[in-house]
Amino acid sequence: KPKGDITTNLVKFNNKKTKAQIIAKQNGVIAGLEFCKIAFKLVGKEAIFVKKVSDGSKVKKNKVIAEIKAKIKTILIAERTALNFLNHASGIATLTNEFVKKAGKTKICCTRKTTPNLRTLEKYSVKKGGGHNHRYNLSDEILIKENHISASNNLRELVKKAIKTNKIVTVEIENINQLKSIIDLKFKRVLLDNMSIQRLKKCLNLCKNKFQTEYSGNATLQNIKKISQTGIDRISVGAITHSSKSFDSSLLIF
């Protein structure tokens, strides 16, 4: 069981407050400042955390993100946890924003491919990067996926049952025949999964004015523009939460 910061405990401190700055070491979009602040406050109630930018702000390298005034012991103990929250959140916001810039009018959505216990932070960070949140949990919306279809063995009946719940219903489609079998039913959204651009366009023509449309499956910064140019309404990208690179920032005491 952890027993505190044994390195910091070696150093003798007075109770005088000192200042520190968190500085961006790259360009990007900031998120998670409140989480960062709370990390310092939980270690030392005396900590004063001053945001120099707000969540969702685009910053350049060397920009001061925040200033902390606290006992030096508080700063040393809280530093890494605080930066872990900030850098993880800002990394997601930054990557999301890169997708958003390339996708034009198409909405970029996150998925449930999140880190256990960090979904709230990660979905919040997606929004700060200009993205949109998909369902938060399994009871928010109905999403009929490949394995549900395999388990039920009757897509049309499954969709009819889903419609009766009055929840938002999304149906994952893998081929045109599946789409044709439910095209006359009234529900919110069709999720077109792992399709070539050619097949995607054919499905979109069938969906016109009937459903909201979404694409999923291996969307990258390299192909996102081509997918969005089909006229799809939304693209869900698991990578913005499960594969974002941590933002680079550092804390300096002065």
Side-chain angles (χ1 to χ4, degrees), residues 36-89:
C36 183
K37 173 186 175 179
I38 288 168
F40 286 106
K41 298 287 279 185
L42 286 173
V43 173
K45 290 179 181 178
E46 85 288 350
I48 298 168
F49 186 93
V50 180
K51 301 172 189 177
K52 293 298 183 180
V53 298
S54 56
D55 279 357
S57 299
K58 293 180 181 179
V59 299
K60 299 283 189 184
K61 185 178 178 180
N62 297 322
K63 172 73 177 175
V64 176
I65 299 168
E67 287 185 354
I68 305 99
K69 190 175 182 182
K71 295 174 186 176
I72 194 165
K73 191 171 185 178
T74 295
I75 293 170
L76 290 173
I77 292 171
E79 172 187 356
R80 180 43 49 199
T81 301
L83 290 183
N84 283 349
F85 278 119
L86 177 68
N87 291 342
H88 182 55

Side-chain angles (χ1 to χ4, degrees), residues 66-114:
E67 287 185 354
I68 305 99
K69 190 175 182 182
K71 295 174 186 176
I72 194 165
K73 191 171 185 178
T74 295
I75 293 170
L76 290 173
I77 292 171
E79 172 187 356
R80 180 43 49 199
T81 301
L83 290 183
N84 283 349
F85 278 119
L86 177 68
N87 291 342
H88 182 55
S90 299
I92 290 170
T94 298
L95 181 58
T96 300
N97 193 250
E98 288 178 32
F99 274 95
V100 168
K101 284 188 289 188
K102 292 193 172 194
K105 293 179 181 178
T106 304
K107 292 179 179 178
I108 297 296
C109 303
C110 58
T111 68
R112 285 176 54 248
K113 294 176 182 175
T114 53

Side-chain angles (χ1 to χ4, degrees), residues 137-185:
N137 56 50
L138 293 172
S139 62
D140 277 350
E141 301 177 9
I142 289 176
L143 174 51
I144 298 172
K145 301 186 78 174
E146 177 187 5
N147 285 336
H148 298 113
I149 297 166
S150 297
S152 71
N153 209 25
N154 191 324
L155 173 58
R156 189 175 173 84
E157 287 306 311
L158 189 58
V159 175
K160 282 182 178 179
K161 279 185 185 177
I163 292 167
K164 288 177 183 176
T165 66
N166 293 319
K167 288 276 191 180
I168 289 173
V169 176
T170 301
V171 183
E172 183 180 276
I173 295 296
E174 293 186 303
N175 57 63
I176 292 174
N177 286 337
Q178 279 185 334
L179 179 57
K180 285 179 177 177
S181 74
I182 57 170
I183 199 81
D184 60 312
L185 300 177

Side-chain angles (χ1 to χ4, degrees), residues 106-244:
T106 304
K107 292 179 179 178
I108 297 296
C109 303
C110 58
T111 68
R112 285 176 54 248
K113 294 176 182 175
T114 53
T115 310
N117 296 322
L118 291 180
R119 182 169 292 170
T120 300
L121 173 65
E122 291 176 351
K123 283 187 170 280
Y124 169 81
S125 304
V126 165
K127 289 176 80 171
K128 290 302 168 182
H132 297 262
N133 288 171
H134 220 297
R135 58 183 182 159
Y136 188 85
N137 56 50
L138 293 172
S139 62
D140 277 350
E141 301 177 9
I142 289 176
L143 174 51
I144 298 172
K145 301 186 78 174
E146 177 187 5
N147 285 336
H148 298 113
I149 297 166
S150 297
S152 71
N153 209 25
N154 191 324
L155 173 58
R156 189 175 173 84
E157 287 306 311
L158 189 58
V159 175
K160 282 182 178 179
K161 279 185 185 177
I163 292 167
K164 288 177 183 176
T165 66
N166 293 319
K167 288 276 191 180
I168 289 173
V169 176
T170 301
V171 183
E172 183 180 276
I173 295 296
E174 293 186 303
N175 57 63
I176 292 174
N177 286 337
Q178 279 185 334
L179 179 57
K180 285 179 177 177
S181 74
I182 57 170
I183 199 81
D184 60 312
L185 300 177
K186 291 187 178 180
F187 56 93
K188 173 89 173 186
R189 188 182 303 129
V190 165
L191 178 61
L192 303 161
D193 186 48
N194 269 305
M195 291 186 178
S196 66
I197 295 295
Q198 188 178 10
R199 185 178 291 180
L200 181 59
K201 285 179 178 177
K202 285 181 181 178
C203 287
L204 288 174
N205 282 335
L206 283 174
C207 290
K208 204 166 279 182
N209 301 323
K210 290 184 175 74
F211 311 108
Q212 190 180 83
T213 56
E214 183 171 337
Y215 175 85
S216 73
N218 300 313
T220 66
L221 286 171
Q222 286 68 46
N223 65 18
I224 197 79
K225 188 173 182 180
K226 188 178 276 190
I227 297 168
S228 68
Q229 286 173 340
T230 62
I232 196 95
D233 297 317
R234 296 154 50 112
I235 302 171
S236 53
V237 187
I240 55 179
T241 50
H242 71 62
S243 295
S244 63

